[in-house]
Amino acid sequence: MTSIGGAEMVDWNLAVATATRLVRPGPDISREEAREVVAELRRHAKASEEHVRSFTRMIPEGAEPEDTPVLVVDRAGWIRANVAGFRELLRPLLAKMENRRSSSPGGAVLGAVGSKVTGVELGMLLSFLASRVLGQYETFAPASRELPAPLSGGGRLLLVAPNVVHVERELDVDPHDFRLWVALHEETHRTQFTGVPWLRDHLQGEIQSFLDETDVDPMTVLERLREAAQSLAGSTPEGEEGEDGGRSLVEIVQTPAQREILARLTAVMSLLEGHADYVMDGVGPEVVSSVGEIREKFQQRRARGASRLDQALRKLLGLDAKLRQYRDGERFVRAVVDEVGMDGFNRVWTSPNTLPTKAEIAKPADWIARVHRKAEP
């Protein structure tokens, strides 16, 4: 992290140490079985390339997309990768906050909290998430000795082996089918970013615009975090319920400009996640014999949630919104493909102007009418 005057806003090493210490242990599995799981996930990731490419038709026949690494990791490996990603993505924002901390009226308060406390808090968040993620395409992935990435600055695909094993056992489904099904979803994300050259830069630009609009006044940030904590605890002071009730942490700390940017980001993420779900189920019947059973049980698991604490944390962190993205995005993709076919749908990847808006995700016919306007005399 950028260091100014010898101080840092986040102790990243402490974040990693905290998360790896607090994360739940993985499933009970022998060393030999673990090696077999890792090898099979790698095989499935490789096999998924051709399945996804053939189904989506996003990459022209004969074209070679950018090569990105596939890494099968444990929970600690996922934590290290995401800390590195956060560190890279948040560098400009935290440098700006560091510059303002010394001159801000709240600078002393924020300084007292300190980078170590921030590192512990980030570590606690990552420890919660690390046992839940099955796979991830890291779009903004700095390379390291343990976690290689393309020299061009592209992404890498992560498959979290212990979480895959945990869920396949919990659902009581065929493990070989389930592992391929997961690989198909994550390979779709890799195809999206390697097959659409402008997508990564567009997404990064939107995220940086969101961060640039962040109010970096420390007292404002602390006040919004207080509101977020009260929202989680259900203890909003009397007469202050207002419109923030039930909103996630991400929503509560927004400015009006950020809400506009987040609406665009939400639409893009709904498209990407829904497209991946559509592809994994579309390819499934050809190569995953038990795809129907897997999808039904997996959807039931998503709907059930977990403990009340788990549900509260999901709400606060905005993970409920991510589940809606899967559902709404998949409906959008299915409706468009049904109406104009896969090639017609693929016009969504033409440019940022052909991406659906948040409103169009809910009303696919509006996107079709806008993008497929007849160029007839």
Side-chain angles (χ1 to χ4, degrees), residues 99-175:
N99 277 328
R100 286 193 57 179
R101 184 170 66 175
S102 58
S103 59
S104 169
V109 175
L110 193 58
V113 173
S115 65
K116 292 192 180 300
V117 173
T118 309
V120 168
E121 291 171 343
L122 177 58
M124 294 172 65
L125 167 61
L126 290 171
S127 72
F128 171 78
L129 297 174
S131 62
R132 288 159 172 79
V133 177
L134 299 179
Q136 173 185 357
Y137 183 78
E138 273 200 298
T139 315
F140 314 107
S144 68
R145 185 175 62 182
E146 293 180 327
L147 298 163
L151 295 176
S152 62
R156 60 191 170 209
L157 192 153
L158 305 181
L159 296 170
V160 190
N163 295 350
V164 173
V165 172
H166 171 78
V167 174
E168 70 191 26
R169 290 179 176 179
E170 180 184 337
L171 299 181
D172 190 25
V173 293
D174 182 282

Side-chain angles (χ1 to χ4, degrees), residues 167-196:
V167 174
E168 70 191 26
R169 290 179 176 179
E170 180 184 337
L171 299 181
D172 190 25
V173 293
D174 182 282
H176 308 294
D177 281 1
F178 183 75
R179 293 165 196 174
L180 177 55
W181 190 69
V182 171
L184 288 168
H185 182 102
E186 302 309 328
E187 177 58 36
T188 302
H189 286 317
R190 184 163 68 154
T191 299
Q192 290 163 348
F193 283 94
T194 57
V196 184

Side-chain angles (χ1 to χ4, degrees), residues 34-339:
R35 282 197 292 264
E36 292 174 358
V37 171
V38 170
E40 183 173 18
L41 285 171
R42 285 176 177 154
R43 290 195 303 272
H44 285 329
K46 181 63 178 176
S48 295
E49 291 182 37
E50 184 56 38
H51 295 314
V52 171
R53 193 180 305 187
S54 175
F55 184 82
T56 64
R57 301 202 289 272
M58 290 179 62
I59 299 173
E61 190 173 344
E64 285 299 323
E66 177 187 2
D67 186 30
T68 57
V70 176
L71 307 178
V72 181
V73 299
D74 58 11
R75 291 170 178 174
W78 181 89
I79 288 167
R80 288 192 295 271
N82 278 266
V83 167
F86 283 144
R87 187 174 182 172
E88 185 69 20
L89 198 60
L90 296 177
R91 187 185 302 271
L93 171 64
L94 294 186
K96 184 167 68 173
M97 292 184 72
E98 181 63 44
N99 277 328
R100 286 193 57 179
R101 184 170 66 175
S102 58
S103 59
S104 169
V109 175
L110 193 58
V113 173
S115 65
K116 292 192 180 300
V117 173
T118 309
V120 168
E121 291 171 343
L122 177 58
M124 294 172 65
L125 167 61
L126 290 171
S127 72
F128 171 78
L129 297 174
S131 62
R132 288 159 172 79
V133 177
L134 299 179
Q136 173 185 357
Y137 183 78
E138 273 200 298
T139 315
F140 314 107
S144 68
R145 185 175 62 182
E146 293 180 327
L147 298 163
L151 295 176
S152 62
R156 60 191 170 209
L157 192 153
L158 305 181
L159 296 170
V160 190
N163 295 350
V164 173
V165 172
H166 171 78
V167 174
E168 70 191 26
R169 290 179 176 179
E170 180 184 337
L171 299 181
D172 190 25
V173 293
D174 182 282
H176 308 294
D177 281 1
F178 183 75
R179 293 165 196 174
L180 177 55
W181 190 69
V182 171
L184 288 168
H185 182 102
E186 302 309 328
E187 177 58 36
T188 302
H189 286 317
R190 184 163 68 154
T191 299
Q192 290 163 348
F193 283 94
T194 57
V196 184
W198 54 265
L199 183 58
R200 180 181 183 274
D201 288 342
H202 172 71
L203 193 59
Q204 185 174 30
E206 290 281 59
I207 293 171
Q208 288 304 325
S209 295
F210 183 89
L211 296 177
D212 287 344
E213 290 291 337
T214 299
D215 188 339
V216 295
D217 175 70
M219 291 306 294
T220 300
V221 172
L222 290 174
E223 176 63 21
R224 288 178 175 170
L225 290 174
R226 181 188 70 86
E227 294 172 10
Q230 290 172 341
S231 175
L232 175 61
S235 58
T236 304
E238 185 176 357
E240 293 186 16
E241 287 83 353
E243 62 177 14
D244 284 344
R247 292 164 63 193
S248 73
L249 172 60
V250 175
E251 293 170 313
I252 287 173
V253 299
Q254 287 170 29
T255 65
Q258 285 176 314
R259 291 193 182 99
E260 294 182 10
I261 299 169
L262 190 65
R264 296 196 298 269
L265 280 169
T266 298
V268 175
M269 297 311 298
S270 295
L271 170 68
L272 298 180
E273 295 294 357
H275 183 235
D277 263 14
Y278 178 82
V279 171
M280 71 195 295
D281 287 345
V283 174
E286 296 279 337
V287 297
V288 182
S289 58
S290 60
V291 64
E293 177 192 3
I294 291 173
R295 167 55 74 187
E296 181 180 359
K297 289 184 174 180
F298 196 76
Q299 292 288 62
Q300 290 173 353
R301 181 179 184 270
R302 277 181 178 172
R304 271 198 315 269
S307 66
R308 292 183 63 184
L309 175 61
D310 188 71
Q311 291 172 355
L313 285 170
R314 285 176 179 272
K315 178 64 180 177
L316 178 62
L317 299 174
L319 299 182
D320 284 349
K322 184 172 178 64
L323 295 181
R324 289 194 297 274
Q325 287 171 8
Y326 287 107
R327 183 187 65 237
D328 297 344
E330 196 274 342
R331 288 175 180 169
F332 170 84
V333 176
R334 185 174 300 280
V336 172
V337 173
D338 286 349
E339 182 68 23

